[in-house]
Amino acid sequence: MCMVIFAPLFAMFAFATCGGYSGGLRLSVDCVNKTESNLSIDIAFAYPFRLQQVTFEVPTCEGKEQQKLALVGDSSSSAEFFVTVAVFAFLYSLAATVVYIFFQNKYRENNRGPLIDFIVTVVFSFLWLVGSSAWAKGLSDVKVATDPKEVLLLMSACKQPSNKCMAVHSPVMSSLNTSVVFGFLNFILWAGNIWFVFKETGWHSSGQRYLSDPMEKHSSSYNQGGYNQESYGSSGGYSQQANLGPTSDEFGQQPSGPTSFNNQI
């Protein structure tokens, strides 16, 4: 039940916080010649974080020439893979919820539904682990590439001590950090659901039958052995009692001799 409730929500938060991100930073270059300065250099970037395509112009402090630069790095592969896993997990969770609620009989028919659900759950657990780990590394690279101190090192004007270069504000990465957290929460949720889905499959029931059959055979053989011993003991005791001595009828005939002798006397 927890899987049905939380899986779509966690997946939605994961791809929304990553795929919907857009941020930026602002720098300032104060040249010795104030007319060449630029105190508001805006650099914007967004998903899928192809940072090498983000270009901007900065003053060189050597006339009116502008230097065209670009950010360093490309984290699009890890970001797109993470969002793709999240979207497909969201869609599958919605479809599974509909099946669980409205098509429970067909889900359990021929044991195909639980088997498919088990395989898909294992696959998504693995994909969430790989995707979240890859995106965590990609986010680390994005933070380094968009660090204002690292960007200032790219500018030739900032290499001259007479010019003053500084960061006006840094990019806010809180939503991207949240996406990584939800990625690993999704992995924990899907991996924890593997056991519950496995119990619905025929593999779990057949394993229980395999373990219970030897126990039943052992108990039945033990009961048969006890029954034979009891019957043997009762029969043996009966035969011993039968051969122990004369019967009550024979014992009653013995005093008949003296009784007839007294009568003769």
Side-chain angles (χ1 to χ4, degrees):
M1 191 65 181
C2 293
M3 177 68 178
V4 174
I5 298 174
F6 293 109
L9 294 177
F10 283 12
M12 181 178 64
F13 288 144
F15 72 74
T17 53
C18 179
Y21 178 83
S22 61
L25 65 155
R26 179 174 294 178
L27 307 173
S28 67
V29 178
D30 189 7
C31 304
V32 176
N33 187 356
K34 301 300 181 180
T35 59
E36 300 174 356
S37 301
N38 188 346
L39 303 181
S40 180
I41 304 173
D42 293 321
I43 305 173
F45 60 95
Y47 174 86
F49 307 104
R50 294 186 177 92
L51 301 180
Q52 80 279 6
Q53 299 180 1
V54 178
T55 60
F56 54 97
E57 293 185 351
V58 297
T60 59
C61 295
E62 297 177 355
K64 295 183 179 180
E65 296 180 359
Q66 297 288 319
Q67 182 183 13
K68 189 174 183 179
L69 299 174
L71 297 178
V72 179
D74 184 2
S75 300
S76 60
S77 59
S78 59
E80 289 176 342
F81 179 76
F82 178 80
V83 171
T84 301
V85 173
V87 170
F88 278 102
F90 173 76
L91 296 176
Y92 179 79
S93 300
L94 290 181
T97 302
V98 173
V99 172
Y100 292 158
I101 296 175
F102 300 103
F103 302 99
Q104 187 65 230
N105 295 331
K106 292 185 178 181
Y107 172 77
R108 297 180 181 276
E109 186 178 355
N110 298 327
N111 201 34
R112 292 181 180 179
L115 289 178
I116 296 175
D117 195 14
F118 173 74
I119 295 173
V120 173
T121 302
V122 172
V123 172
F124 269 114
S125 300
F126 175 75
L127 293 177
W128 273 118
L129 177 61
V130 174
S132 300
S133 301
W135 171 228
K137 176 59 172 63
L139 177 57
S140 177
D141 295 338
V142 171
K143 290 181 178 180
V144 172
T146 57
D147 186 359
K149 295 180 180 179
E150 296 293 329
V151 179
L152 291 174
L153 294 176
L154 301 175
M155 303 179 186
S156 59
C158 298
K159 297 178 182 179
Q160 301 175 8
S162 59
N163 300 321
K164 296 180 181 180
C165 300
M166 59 182 301
V168 177
H169 69 77
S170 302
V172 179
M173 300 286 187
S174 58
S175 63
L176 296 181
N177 294 331
T178 304
S179 68
V180 174
V181 173
F182 273 107
F184 285 105
L185 285 177
N186 275 283
F187 164 69
I188 295 173
L189 180 64
W190 285 79
N193 194 52
I194 291 177
W195 168 247
F196 298 100
V197 178
F198 176 73
K199 291 196 300 183
E200 300 292 333
T201 62
W203 297 336
H204 180 262
S205 58
S206 62
Q208 285 185 335
R209 288 196 301 268
Y210 177 78
L211 293 175
S212 61
D213 288 344
M215 295 299 294
E216 292 177 355
K217 291 180 180 179
H218 178 71
S219 61
S220 61
S221 62
Y222 177 79
N223 294 331
Q224 290 177 359
Y227 175 80
N228 292 334
Q229 289 178 358
E230 291 176 357
S231 61
Y232 175 77
S234 61
S235 61
Y238 177 79
S239 62
Q240 289 177 1
Q241 291 177 359
N243 296 328
L244 182 62
T247 62
S248 61
D249 296 337
E250 294 175 356
F251 182 78
Q253 293 176 0
Q254 288 180 359
S256 63
T259 302
S260 60
F261 178 75
N262 291 330
N263 292 333
Q264 291 177 1
I265 296 175

